Structures are given as structure tokens and as C-alpha cells.
Amino acid sequence: MTKNISIDYDYFENSNNLSEIEKTLFNLAKSSRLKAYAPYSKFLVGCAILLENGEIISGNNQENAAYPSGICAERTAIFYASANFPDVKILKLFVLGASLENLNKAVPTPPCGACRQVISEYENKQSSEIEIYFANMDDEICKVKSIRSLLPFTFDASFL
Ligand code: THU
């Protein structure tokens, strides 16, 4: 028997149809991308997060000569949020990535597998969904309403 999982996502051709707060987050992810430290991959990623208390946090990827010691933009921002606002829910996460050399040739960059796992952990911790928006430099944006859409069959604490 073959079973099927399908996901829904919203697609925005550009940022015009975003709400004001979404535009703010989108622009912050974009400007944060420019501050990324990515001398090895030259793939710059920016992230912006909205918390329930109205705080907005940004982050970007931080690489290292010992490659696995680096960290993605999403986790830079999420860990800052959890470290500084441990009891405040994350509502929205925007991520935007593009190579320095290949600016306009990418489909919207979704969170990597490790970041999906981390986002899932915080959805479980806060018992509510985190809306995830991923974009490219042409301002195309995809939105899912929860990490569940990007990470079906999630491993979580219930298996331990
Ligand atoms: N990267 C992110 O920051 N977020 C992702 O979701 C995908 C990958 C970073 C990690 C590394 O610094 C560079 O992009 C190339 O993989």
C-alpha cells in the first residue's frame, strides 16, 4: 500500500502582497544577509524572526575554517531568541539566501534539514506553529504555516 503526504504552501511573486510586518521581516532578512560571515561557501543567508511580544530578531550564517563549527542563519536567530526570550513564542521566521556570485539564479532557499529539526523543537516547546517564509533575491517568497509541512515524520521527544 502506498500512502501519500502532500503539503500546502503559499507563493508570492514578490513582496507587494505581504502585510506591513511581513515586509519588515522580509527586508530585515535581506539586510541581515549582507552581514553574514560566509567566506568559505560565499552563500549568504539572512533570517528575521517575529516574537509574540513584538520583538524582532535577525541573524545570519556564521562560518568557520573548521567547517562544521559554523552555523546557519536560522539557528543563529532562533538560539538568540530562545536565549534572550525563553518564554516568548516565535510567530514568524523569514529566511533568504543567495550566493554572492549567483545572485538571481536561485529558487527560494528553504531551511536546511538541521534547521528544520531545530524549528520543530521550538514548535513543540511552545505548543504552537511557526510560520516559515523562504525567499530569493528576486523577491519570490514561499510560505508554510508550520515546520510540519517541511519535515513530515518528525523525530521528537515523544520517541525517547
Ligand atoms: N545555510 C543557512 O544559513 N541556512 C540554510 O538553511 C541553508 C544553509 C548556510 C550554511 C552555510 O554557511 C552556507 O549557507 C552554505 O551551506
Side-chain angles (χ1 to χ4, degrees):
M1 182 198 303
T2 302
K3 299 190 180 188
N4 179 264
I5 295 174
S6 66
I7 66 156
D8 289 327
Y9 68 97
D10 294 330
Y11 171 75
F12 301 84
E13 260 176 41
N14 55 54
S15 57
N16 294 342
N17 288 331
L18 295 176
S19 68
E20 285 312 305
I21 185 69
E22 289 171 333
K23 279 182 190 155
T24 300
L25 293 162
F26 175 69
N27 288 330
L28 184 59
K30 226 176 185 180
S31 59
S32 184
R33 173 184 168 273
L34 294 173
K35 298 184 218 161
Y37 177 60
Y40 304 104
S41 72
K42 298 187 171 41
F43 190 82
L44 277 55
V45 186
C47 178
I49 286 178
L50 174 68
L51 302 185
E52 197 171 41
N53 65 357
E55 282 284 340
I56 292 177
I57 287 160
S58 63
N60 42 46
N61 50 332
Q62 299 293 319
E63 296 187 348
N64 194 285
Y67 289 4
S69 304
I71 193 163
C72 291
E74 297 93 314
R75 279 176 284 160
T76 302
I78 290 169
F79 291 156
Y80 182 93
S82 185
N84 290 285
F85 304 96
D87 300 320
V88 185
K89 290 184 179 184
I90 299 169
L91 300 183
K92 294 178 187 290
L93 181 149
F94 275 69
V95 60
L96 185 145
S99 154
L100 266 180
E101 288 125 9
N102 214 2
L103 265 190
N104 295 315
K105 288 194 181 151
V107 296
T109 310
C112 77
C115 289
R116 292 177 198 204
Q117 185 68 30
V118 166
I119 295 166
S120 169
E121 181 76 20
Y122 289 96
E123 276 200 357
N124 291 337
K125 175 176 175 260
Q126 68 184 33
S127 300
S128 64
E129 295 176 328
I130 299 172
E131 293 179 318
I132 300 164
Y133 301 71
F134 47 101
N136 65 13
M137 295 296 284
D138 294 328
D139 293 359
E140 290 176 289
I141 301 153
C142 296
K143 175 193 172 187
V144 291
K145 66 177 177 50
S146 162
I147 195 63
R148 291 281 158 272
S149 299
L150 299 181
L151 192 64
F153 289 115
T154 313
F155 179 82
D156 61 28
S158 68
F159 292 94
L160 298 176

